[in-house]
Amino acid sequence: MSRHIVQMETIGQIIRNKRESLGLLLRQVAASLDIDPAILSKIERNERRPNKELILKLSETLDIDKEELLAQYISDKIAYDIADENCADRVLKLAEKKVQYLKTHSVSN
Amino acid sequence: MSRHIVQMETIGQIIRNKRESLGLLLRQVAASLDIDPAILSKIERNERRPNKELILKLSETLDIDKEELLAQYISDKIAYDIADENCADRVLKLAEKKVQYLKTHSVSN
DNA sequence: TTATATTTGACAAATAGTGTCAAGACATAT
DNA sequence: ATATGTCTTGACACTATTTGTCAAATATAA
């Protein structure tokens, strides 16, 4: 079984690449997001994790597909949670089942 | 495609079932875990989430398979993270890739 | 140099997690 | 009824983590 991992683009890289391709400065994007440029700088270098609200704003400001960026964001968090576990596969299988369960048994309160 | 979801046992239920099947009181188990019985009560009713250290202690005290309980614990956290997302499947696929990536590119600092 | 952009670190503020405790609820026995 | 034992509930404090602010340091370009 051959494994092809070319490169794993981090969420910070995705954001920085898009910002630079649009020719925008940190302070310009930061102003649009209503945050300090220092925070955005750290996010782009993966020194700080963006929260969900920021992800949504970023997808709008930088015209990145919202679902794409959200998926990156959440999977990042998950990978971080289970990175040091030796039962990651099992955990993900279980999580899948639980998500299915929560979907079909969605509580509406 | 038929789907069979009998019942999804929560981590709290697992713990309470095991404790009761052993005929132990909250205060007995709590003493062994070195926590207040109130905390254990809340954990068993899924009102409070146990941390990893407690999971390990619980698996010993109640003789529950450590890997099993850990997997339940982490998958709970993950399911909670992505429960309200409509791209849960995509996220889990991505997370799987990232975990693989982190495993094969483990940083040692 | 000067000007602009980014990075870095120290710190404060806000939020979330955790532990402690006592009163309330509930069942059972006397 | 009271007494006893177990469990539950909520208020509160303490700690840790996350998030935000700011200014100094660094880098880059003209």
Side-chain angles (χ1 to χ4, degrees):
Chain A
M1 179 177 284
S2 70
R3 211 186 271 165
H4 256 308
I5 297 183
V6 182
Q7 180 62 9
M8 182 69 66
E9 198 179 23
T10 68
I11 203 167
Q13 288 169 333
I14 293 174
I15 294 168
R16 172 151 293 185
N17 286 344
K18 198 61 201 282
R19 177 178 64 81
E20 292 183 338
S21 79
L22 292 172
L24 297 172
L25 299 175
L26 277 178
R27 69 171 158 77
Q28 293 175 311
V29 175
S32 171
L33 300 171
D34 194 29
I35 62 173
D36 192 287
I39 295 178
L40 186 53
S41 169
K42 284 167 186 167
I43 288 173
E44 289 188 349
R45 288 172 293 106
N46 299 296
E47 189 187 320
R48 187 174 288 206
R49 188 180 300 276
N51 58 29
K52 189 173 174 179
E53 184 196 2
L54 211 49
I55 288 292
L56 298 177
K57 284 185 185 172
L58 273 165
S59 71
E60 287 192 8
T61 299
L62 297 180
D63 194 34
I64 304 175
D65 180 67
K66 194 183 84 173
E67 300 301 324
E68 162 70 14
L69 208 54
L70 260 181
Q72 289 288 342
Y73 160 66
I74 303 170
S75 59
D76 255 19
K77 191 161 51 168
I78 292 174
Y80 177 79
D81 278 349
I82 65 182
D84 57 341
E85 301 299 333
N86 51 7
C87 53
D89 295 339
R90 185 184 187 180
V91 165
L92 287 173
K93 291 270 191 303
L94 253 179
E96 202 175 331
K97 280 185 189 169
K98 288 190 181 177
V99 169
Q100 282 296 336
Y101 182 78
L102 290 174
K103 270 186 181 171
T104 54
H105 296 70
S106 60
V107 185
S108 51
N109 51 351
Chain B
M1 180 178 285
S2 70
R3 211 186 274 165
H4 256 308
I5 299 182
V6 181
Q7 180 61 12
M8 183 67 68
E9 198 179 22
T10 67
I11 202 167
Q13 288 169 334
I14 293 174
I15 294 169
R16 170 151 295 185
N17 286 343
K18 198 61 200 286
R19 177 178 63 82
E20 293 182 337
S21 78
L22 292 173
L24 297 173
L25 299 176
L26 276 180
R27 68 170 159 78
Q28 294 175 313
V29 175
S32 170
L33 300 172
D34 195 29
I35 61 174
D36 193 287
I39 295 178
L40 187 54
S41 168
K42 284 168 186 167
I43 287 172
E44 290 188 349
R45 287 172 294 105
N46 299 298
E47 189 187 320
R48 185 174 289 206
R49 188 181 301 274
N51 58 27
K52 191 173 173 181
E53 184 197 0
L54 211 48
I55 288 293
L56 299 179
K57 283 186 185 173
L58 274 165
S59 72
E60 289 194 6
T61 299
L62 297 180
D63 193 35
I64 304 174
D65 180 67
K66 196 184 84 174
E67 299 303 322
E68 163 69 15
L69 207 55
L70 261 181
Q72 289 287 342
Y73 160 67
I74 304 170
S75 60
D76 254 20
K77 192 161 49 168
I78 292 174
Y80 178 80
D81 279 349
I82 66 182
D84 57 340
E85 301 298 331
N86 50 8
C87 53
D89 296 340
R90 184 185 187 179
V91 165
L92 287 173
K93 291 270 191 304
L94 254 179
E96 203 175 329
K97 280 186 189 170
K98 289 190 181 179
V99 169
Q100 283 295 335
Y101 183 79
L102 291 175
K103 269 186 184 171
T104 54
H105 296 70
S106 59
V107 185
S108 51
N109 51 353

